[in-house]
C-alpha cells in the first residue's frame, strides 16, 4: 500500500520546525528516521496531513559527554550509537539495546530519540532510559524544558511532548565507578519486538552493596514500566543469590502483561523474572570490571 497524500516541509533550523508545528497544530508529524512512522503511513494506520522533516537541520547528530552527562542529539542513528566508543566504554547497556533493534538496515536510519518519541511500549530504548534515570529535552515555542523519562510516557503511544514540541536531546547521567548494566529481551525471531525485555543498571559501593538500582520493563504493559519496588529492594543490599531472586520476583510482580500472540500474561511475567535475574548478574560482572 501507499500512504494517503500529505504536505511535506523540510525546515532548515529548529526554530523553523517549531514555528511550523505551532502553525499546523496536532495534524503535523515529525519525521526523523521514519522507521515507525513511514510503515504506519503505508498501512494507513496513521495518515498525518503534514510531515515536518527535520533531517536537514544541522547540528543534531551528536553523541558527547558534557558535565558528567551523555547527550544524544535528535538525529543520532541507532547505528551511530552502536559504533560509539564513548558509549561502548561507559554505557554498554546502550549497545545491548541498540544492537537488538530490528536489523542493520533499519538501524542505519532509525533515530534513538525517535524510538522514545514514538511512545511504543514495545520499543527497546524506553526501558533502558528508565533504568539509567535519563531525561529528554523538548523544544517548543516557549523554549526548552527537561522531562524525566519516568514522566514521559503517560499512556499507550502517548508522550509528554506537546503538539508544537520536538524532542531535541536525550540526557543520561554518566554512572559512577563500579557501575554496570544490561538489556535483555526475548523475541520470536531476530529483529522482532520483544515478547518481554528488561533494562537494568546498578552501582556498587565500596562494600559491594548496591547504592543505586534502575530497572525498566519492555512490552509488558501499556507503557514502559519502571520497576520501583524491585529497585528499592535492591538498593542498600549486597546482591547475593537470595537478593537477586527476590528482586527478580518483585520486578515480575510489577509487570502488567496481557495475553496475545507472543504468549500468555503468566508466561511474560515469568520471562521478566528470568531476564531480571540474568541482567543483574551481567550488570554485576560489568560493575566489577568484567567484559
Amino acid at each position: 500500500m501507499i500512504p494517503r497524500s500529505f504536505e511535506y516541509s523540510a525546515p532548515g533550523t529548529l526554530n523553523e520546525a517549531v514555528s511550523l508545528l505551532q502553525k499546523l497544530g496536532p495534524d503535523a508529524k515529525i519525521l526523523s528516521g521514519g522507521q515507525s512512522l513511514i510503515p504506519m503511513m503505508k498501512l494507513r494506520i496513521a495518515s498525518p496531513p503534514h510531515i515536518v522533516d527535520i533531517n536537514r537541520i544541522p547540528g543534531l547528530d551528536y553523541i558527547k559527554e558534557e558535565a558528567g552527562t551523555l547527550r544524544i542529539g535528535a538525529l543520532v542513528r541507532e547505528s551511530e550509537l552502536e559504533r560509539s566508543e564513548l558509549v561502548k566504554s561507559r554505557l554498554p547497556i546502550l549497545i545491548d539495546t541498540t544492537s537488538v533493534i530490528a536489523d542493520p538496515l533499519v538501524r542505519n536510519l532509525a533515530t534513538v530519540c525517535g524510538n522514545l518519541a514514538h511512545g511504543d511500549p514495545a520499543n527497546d530504548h524506553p526501558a533502558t532510559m528508565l533504568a539509567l534515570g535519563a531525561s529528554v529535552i523538548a523544544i517548543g515555542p516557549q523554549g526548552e524544558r527537561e522531562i524525566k523519562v519516568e514522566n514521559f510516557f503517560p499512556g499507550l503511544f502517548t508522550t509528554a511532548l506537546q503538539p508544537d514540541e520536538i524532542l531535541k536531546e536525550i540526557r543520561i547521567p554518566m554512572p559512577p565507578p563500579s557501575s554496570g548494566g544490561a538489556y535483555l529481551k526475548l523475541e520470536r525471531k531476530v529483529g522482532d519486538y520483544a515478547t518481554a525485555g528488561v533494562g537494568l543498571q546498578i552501582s556498587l559501593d565500596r562494600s559491594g552493596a548496591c547504592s543505586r538500582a534502575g530497572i525498566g520493563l519492555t512490552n509488558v504493559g501499556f507503557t514502559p514500566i519502571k520497576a520501583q519496588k524491585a529497585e528499592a529492594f535492591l538498593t542498600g543490599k549486597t546482591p547475593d543469590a537470595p537478593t537477586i531472586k527476590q528482586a527478580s520476583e518483585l520486578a515480575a510482580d510489577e509487570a502488567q502483561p496481557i495475553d496475545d500472540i507472543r504468549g500468555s500474561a503468566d508466561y511474560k511475567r515469568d520471562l521478566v523474572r528470568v531476564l531480571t535475574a540474568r541482567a543483574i548478574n551481567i550488570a554485576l560482572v560489568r560493575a566489577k570490571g568484567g567484559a
Side-chain angles (χ1 to χ4, degrees):
M1 294 180 68
I2 60 173
R4 289 188 174 93
S5 61
F6 59 89
E7 297 293 325
Y8 173 83
S9 299
T13 68
L14 271 174
N15 286 339
E16 287 178 33
V18 169
S19 295
L20 270 171
L21 293 180
Q22 195 174 18
K23 174 185 175 183
L24 297 169
D27 287 338
K29 293 295 181 184
I30 291 291
L31 176 67
S32 55
Q35 298 305 289
S36 295
L37 178 60
I38 298 300
M40 291 178 71
M41 290 173 65
K42 286 183 175 180
L43 293 170
R44 301 197 176 185
I45 296 170
S47 298
H50 204 121
I51 295 296
V52 178
D53 184 349
I54 64 171
N55 281 281
R56 298 183 189 180
I57 299 176
L60 294 178
D61 57 351
Y62 53 84
I63 303 172
K64 59 186 177 182
E65 181 180 1
E66 195 171 273
T69 300
L70 181 70
R71 300 174 60 186
I72 302 171
L75 292 179
V76 171
R77 314 293 167 177
E78 298 286 356
S79 57
E80 293 170 331
L81 190 71
E82 201 172 1
R83 293 192 299 266
S84 169
E85 292 301 324
L86 172 62
V87 172
K88 286 179 184 178
S89 63
R90 300 293 300 279
L91 286 164
I93 184 177
L94 288 176
I95 304 299
D96 293 347
T97 309
T98 192
S99 63
V100 295
I101 292 173
D103 55 49
L105 291 175
V106 169
R107 294 198 294 272
N108 281 338
L109 289 172
T111 62
V112 183
C113 287
N115 193 275
L116 295 186
H118 189 49
D120 188 345
N123 279 354
D124 295 293
H125 279 298
T128 293
M129 298 303 171
L130 284 170
L132 290 169
S135 59
V136 303
I137 303 301
I139 183 167
Q142 308 305 317
E144 294 184 1
R145 66 184 181 112
E146 185 170 359
I147 309 166
K148 293 289 185 184
V149 167
E150 61 194 80
N151 301 321
F152 191 63
F153 303 103
L156 181 64
F157 285 101
T158 307
T159 72
L161 290 173
Q162 297 299 313
D164 55 4
E165 288 184 318
I166 297 170
L167 200 168
K168 176 188 174 185
E169 179 180 284
I170 299 169
R171 292 182 182 175
I172 302 170
M174 281 296 196
S178 301
S179 296
Y183 180 75
L184 299 173
K185 77 174 183 179
L186 181 73
E187 53 196 349
R188 295 178 300 171
K189 59 183 178 63
V190 174
D192 193 11
Y193 288 114
T195 301
V198 174
L200 181 138
Q201 181 77 17
I202 59 172
S203 297
L204 304 178
D205 62 22
R206 291 184 178 180
S207 71
C210 180
S211 58
R212 180 198 176 274
I215 305 174
L217 309 180
T218 298
N219 214 14
V220 286
F222 289 111
T223 64
I225 293 172
K226 183 174 173 63
Q228 294 176 313
K229 292 179 182 177
E231 293 174 347
F233 177 80
L234 273 175
T235 304
K237 295 181 178 66
T238 300
D240 54 19
T243 300
I244 292 171
K245 181 176 183 293
Q246 182 65 28
S248 302
E249 291 171 352
L250 286 170
D253 288 342
E254 292 181 81
Q256 301 166 17
I258 60 172
D259 299 342
D260 62 18
I261 59 173
R262 289 183 170 82
S264 69
D266 287 343
Y267 171 63
K268 295 176 187 176
R269 197 172 284 110
D270 202 47
L271 274 180
V272 170
R273 178 186 63 81
V274 172
L275 293 175
T276 301
R278 291 180 182 177
I280 293 172
N281 282 308
I282 294 170
L284 284 172
V285 171
R286 288 174 170 173
K288 295 172 182 177

